[in-house]
Amino acid sequence: MKKSNLIICALAVAVLSVLSSCGRRDGAGKPQVVVSIMPVYDVACVIAGDSVDVVCLLPRGGNPETYEPTMSQYVDVEHSDAFMYVSNTGFEAAIADRLKENATGGLAIADLSSGVDLLYGTHGDCGHEHHHHSGCSHGDVDPHVWSSAKNMRVIARNVCDVLKKVDAPHADYYDTNLAVVLSEIDSLDAEMSRVLAPHRGKAFVVWHPSLSYFARDYGLEQISVGGQENKEASVTQLRQKIDKANGRGATVMVVQLNYDDRQAQVVNQQIGARVVNVDLLNADWAQQLKTVAYAIASEGND
Ligand SMILES: [Zn+2]
């Protein structure tokens, strides 16, 4: 091996050690796959068990719509066996595009939202500005695909397919682990369906429109007041949203980690909803969705 390659490998290993990684890392022979966000990391780790190393790119607290991947992360992904992304958020698209350009054949690139019934136009005006996607070239697909138990079921199946491709001899093992994940997701979905069934049609407020799929799953109405991260809502727009929230009798406002909680509190003075803070990009995504479901079900039903 040439010296320059050695340096790159050493760099990749150094980077890997600081990224989240589950499973045993023996450094020899074991396949490695890279996923973009923590909810996917959670299900991928269960399905992979101790046969494949799973690495997650987006750090805790990171925002996939504004995050810029580092050069070391590109190198890291290029040295792995598969890159799995969920949607065309800026950083996922940037990595997938680059990988496709420099494809060497050995790396599987998988769009995990394949098979999901995608929503269009529910994410507001396209506010994403990235080097690789100026304007709205990726369409107006709602990127928050992971904020839904039903979608996570499709994602888990897709993850399993990728692992079976990367490590065919252990296909049965991955199928067994997938069954565990699917039964957990089924229980979660059944519990939220039961809790929310009496509240179909109910409206809830979110700061950023991150729960469109969740709202669709349970027949709820999402009213987003904050809009996009790099676009300030105008006073008129804000007024209209507040009036809508009040008119629809919303009693819960969901604020995601990373968004301006202080501004949300100020706006909420005119709505008077119960503020629920969640981190939908957490590995514990199931608990985060349940928190939202129980909040909506418990508020304003005396
Ligand atoms: Zn968004």
Side-chain angles (χ1 to χ4, degrees):
M1 190 184 271
K2 285 188 303 211
K3 198 181 176 192
S4 59
N5 286 346
L6 276 172
I7 293 168
I8 291 168
C9 288
L11 182 70
V13 169
V15 168
L16 279 174
S17 62
V18 300
L19 289 167
S20 305
S21 176
C22 61
R24 229 169 356 94
R25 173 150 267 286
D26 56 16
K30 199 196 258 192
Q32 177 186 284
V33 297
V34 177
V35 300
S36 51
I37 57 171
M38 290 306 278
V40 176
Y41 175 75
D42 171 54
V43 300
C45 281
V46 179
I47 302 169
D50 56 7
S51 290
V52 172
D53 282 325
V54 184
V55 170
C56 183
L57 289 182
L58 189 74
R60 181 168 152 66
N63 182 338
E65 290 171 41
T66 53
Y67 185 72
E68 297 281 349
T70 64
M71 189 48 77
S72 341
Q73 286 181 318
Y74 281 119
V75 174
D76 187 28
V77 177
E78 279 168 357
H79 282 79
S80 71
D81 296 283
F83 174 60
M84 298 180 241
Y85 62 101
V86 187
S87 58
N88 275 328
T89 59
F91 97 103
E92 297 179 290
I95 292 179
D97 286 357
R98 188 185 148 122
L99 292 175
K100 282 168 191 163
E101 275 167 29
N102 305 331
T104 52
L107 172 66
I109 304 168
D111 176 358
L112 297 179
S113 62
S114 167
V116 169
D117 187 8
L118 294 169
L119 286 169
Y120 294 82
T122 47
H123 194 241
D125 303 329
C126 182
H128 311 278
E129 293 292 345
H130 298 283
H131 306 314
H132 300 265
H133 292 277
S134 54
C136 293
S137 58
H138 54 296
D140 61 351
V141 173
D142 192 314
H144 295 264
V145 175
W146 59 89
S147 302
S148 152
K150 293 183 202 303
N151 291 354
M152 285 300 283
R153 193 184 284 140
V154 178
I155 287 169
R157 284 208 174 89
N158 287 338
V159 167
C160 186
D161 286 345
V162 172
L163 294 180
K164 289 198 284 190
K165 202 151 88 181
V166 164
D167 182 29
H170 292 109
D172 290 347
Y173 174 68
Y174 301 128
D175 276 333
T176 306
N177 292 345
L178 172 67
V180 174
V181 170
L182 292 180
S183 96
E184 281 173 9
I185 294 177
D186 286 347
S187 321
L188 169 72
D189 188 22
E191 180 178 351
M192 293 195 293
S193 291
R194 193 178 61 244
V195 164
L196 289 169
H199 307 283
R200 284 192 81 84
K202 193 166 173 178
F204 64 97
V205 177
V206 293
W207 186 250
H208 180 74
S210 50
L211 286 161
S212 311
Y213 293 96
F214 174 89
R216 177 179 71 182
D217 287 351
Y218 306 110
L220 304 166
E221 183 188 355
Q222 169 185 255
I223 300 171
S224 147
V225 290
Q228 303 294 337
E229 27 287 284
N230 44 7
K231 244 187 178 176
E232 283 279 298
S234 72
V235 174
T236 314
Q237 284 171 324
L238 213 49
R239 184 73 257 160
Q240 286 169 346
K241 299 289 184 66
I242 291 168
D243 289 346
K244 189 176 177 189
N246 286 328
R248 301 281 296 111
T251 52
V252 166
M253 179 192 273
V254 179
V255 180
Q256 263 201 261
L257 193 73
N258 279 336
Y259 290 91
D260 191 343
D261 184 49
R262 200 180 42 82
Q263 208 187 342
Q265 300 279 0
V266 170
V267 170
N268 191 42
Q269 283 170 6
Q270 298 179 60
I271 300 173
R274 172 180 155 206
V275 173
V276 178
N277 292 288
V278 289
D279 177 13
L280 298 167
L281 281 158
N282 199 290
D284 194 6
W285 59 275
Q287 184 54 50
Q288 306 293 318
L289 289 181
K290 262 208 279 198
T291 299
V292 175
Y294 278 97
I296 292 170
S298 65
E299 285 298 314
N301 303 297
D302 315 318

